[in-house]
Amino acid sequence: MIHKRNATITAVGGYVPDTILTNKMLESYVDTSDEWITSRTGIKERRILSDITLATSDMAAFAIKDLLHESGVDPKTIDCLILATSTPDHILAPAATLVCEKAGLTIAWGFDLNAACSGFLYALSVGASFIESNRYHKILVVGADQMSAIVNYEDRNTCVLFGDGAGAVLLESSSDGSGLIDNVFKVDGKGSSSLSVSGGGSLYPASLVTVADKKHFIQQDGKNVFKNAILGMTSTCSEIMERNQLDTAMIDWIIPHQANLRIIEAVSKHLDFPMDKVKVNIQKYGNTTAATIPLCLWDFKEDFKEGDKLLITAFGAGFTYGSTYLKWGKLHSKII
Ligand code: ACO
C-alpha cells in the first residue's frame, strides 16, 4: 500500500525549571488553600524559572538540546524552528532567532507563532505542511512559555493556574502512514477580552498608567473560559473523529491542553472516552500555555506505540482552539 508523504514526530524533548512552587507556598502569597486549588483545578505544584538571567528562549533551547541529545540528531541538520509562545523574551526581536542561536541550529531559519494555549498545535500543523511540501526535511516545533513573567502573584484568580516550561518535537517525513492526518482549527475573536494581557502592545503601549492598571498581567474571566474550553475541545474532537470515520474505541490516547483537570474530565465525559486513556500531568506543571501538549508528549512518550492513534486538543486565549489527529511513528533511538 502506498501512503502519502506525512509529517511524523520522530523525536521529543522537554524542559521544566528546577524551582517548584507548591500550592502550600501560594497560601502565603494570596488567600487560597491547597484544598481549593487541588479540588478546583487538579494542580498540586508548578515550575518557575527563577533565574532572572533566563527567559522563554532559554527554556526552548534547553528542550531542544534534550531532544537532540536523546535522539542523536545533529543540530546542523535542522531546517526550520517554529516557536509557539505568548511570552517571547522581547516584543522585538522574535524569540525564535535567539533559540536558533542558543541551541546551535546553525542553518535553520525560524519564527514565532502566537496562538496562546493552541500555539503548539497550530505550529505543528504549519510545520507538517512544510514537510508535506517536500521543501524541508527536519522541522523543530517548540511550545515554550514563561507564564510567571505575566502572572500577578497577588491575584488568586490566576496565579494558582500557571507555570513555566518548554517542550519540543522534531517533524520528518514518513512513508509508513504514521504522522499528522488531520486538523480542525477555529478562532472566536468574541472571546478575546475573556483572557488577555492588554498592556504593552500597540493599543496600550507600556506606560506608567498601563503598569499602574496592571495591564501587563494576565487577566481572565475564568468561568467563560472554562465553559468555552469544554465546548471548543469537545466539538473539534467530535468533528475530526466524524470526518475520519473514527469512534472513541478506535482512539488510543487523548492529549488535551492542561488548563484545569475539571475541563479535561468534562471533555472526556462528553466524548464518552475513558479517563485512563487521557494523558494528564497538570498536577506537576500547572498550565504552561504553549508547552502543555509537548510536555505531555515528552512525559508519556514511553506509553505510545507505533501506530497508536492520538487525538490532541487545545483551547486558549483568542479564543483559539482545535484538535489534531495523528498516528504515532517511530522515534529516533539514540546513537551511542
Ligand atoms: N483560592 C480560593 N478561592 C478562589 C481562588 C483561589 N485561588 N480563585 C477564585 N476563588 C474564589 C472566587 O473568588 C469565588 O469566590 P466567591 O464565590 O466568594 O466570589 C469562588 O472561589 C468561586 O470562583 P469561580 O471563579 O466560580 O471558581 P471556578 O470553579 O470557576 O474555578 C478557575 C476558577 C479555576 C479559574 C476556572 O474557572 C478555570 O479553570 N477556568 C479556565 C481557565 C483556563 O482554562 N485558562 C486556559 C486558557 S490559558 C491561555 O490561553 C493562556
Side-chain angles (χ1 to χ4, degrees), residues 51-87:
D51 181 340
I52 57 163
T53 65
L54 301 180
T56 295
S57 68
D58 297 286
M59 294 195 294
F62 293 148
I64 291 171
K65 285 181 180 171
D66 177 62
L67 177 153
L68 297 170
H69 176 74
E70 287 300 312
S71 62
V73 170
D74 181 349
K76 294 193 249 351
T77 62
I78 302 297
D79 295 308
C80 176
L81 163 72
I82 309 176
L83 175 66
T85 187
S86 300
T87 53

Side-chain angles (χ1 to χ4, degrees), residues 37-209:
I37 302 170
T38 306
S39 62
R40 305 307 287 164
T41 72
I43 301 166
K44 293 297 290 182
E45 58 188 42
R46 65 291 291 141
R47 300 301 181 99
I48 302 295
L49 190 64
S50 53
D51 181 340
I52 57 163
T53 65
L54 301 180
T56 295
S57 68
D58 297 286
M59 294 195 294
F62 293 148
I64 291 171
K65 285 181 180 171
D66 177 62
L67 177 153
L68 297 170
H69 176 74
E70 287 300 312
S71 62
V73 170
D74 181 349
K76 294 193 249 351
T77 62
I78 302 297
D79 295 308
C80 176
L81 163 72
I82 309 176
L83 175 66
T85 187
S86 300
T87 53
D89 302 24
H90 317 285
I91 286 193
L92 276 175
T97 61
L98 300 173
V99 178
C100 287
E101 182 69 23
K102 291 174 182 178
L105 312 179
T106 49
I107 65 150
W109 65 289
F111 56 95
D112 295 5
L113 185 155
N114 179 350
C117 298
S118 308
F120 177 79
L121 222 46
Y122 287 14
L124 197 65
S125 147
V126 174
S129 51
F130 285 166
I131 298 284
E132 288 158 12
S133 74
N134 207 10
R135 191 134 175 220
Y136 300 104
H137 305 289
K138 284 189 168 65
I139 308 268
L140 278 172
V141 179
V142 178
D145 271 302
Q146 186 186 354
M147 297 306 288
S148 62
I150 57 168
V151 160
N152 177 0
Y153 286 96
E154 293 177 348
D155 174 13
R156 70 175 183 175
N157 291 301
T158 52
C159 75
V160 303
L161 301 173
F162 297 99
D164 302 336
V169 302
L170 178 64
L171 287 176
E172 295 180 85
S173 71
S174 83
S175 52
D176 61 2
S178 71
L180 271 79
I181 313 285
D182 199 7
N183 306 293
V184 172
F185 292 143
K186 317 247 179 192
V187 298
D188 177 5
K190 289 193 287 303
S192 61
S193 60
S194 294
L195 184 52
S196 64
V197 178
S198 58
S202 55
L203 184 58
Y204 302 117
S207 68
L208 292 177
V209 175

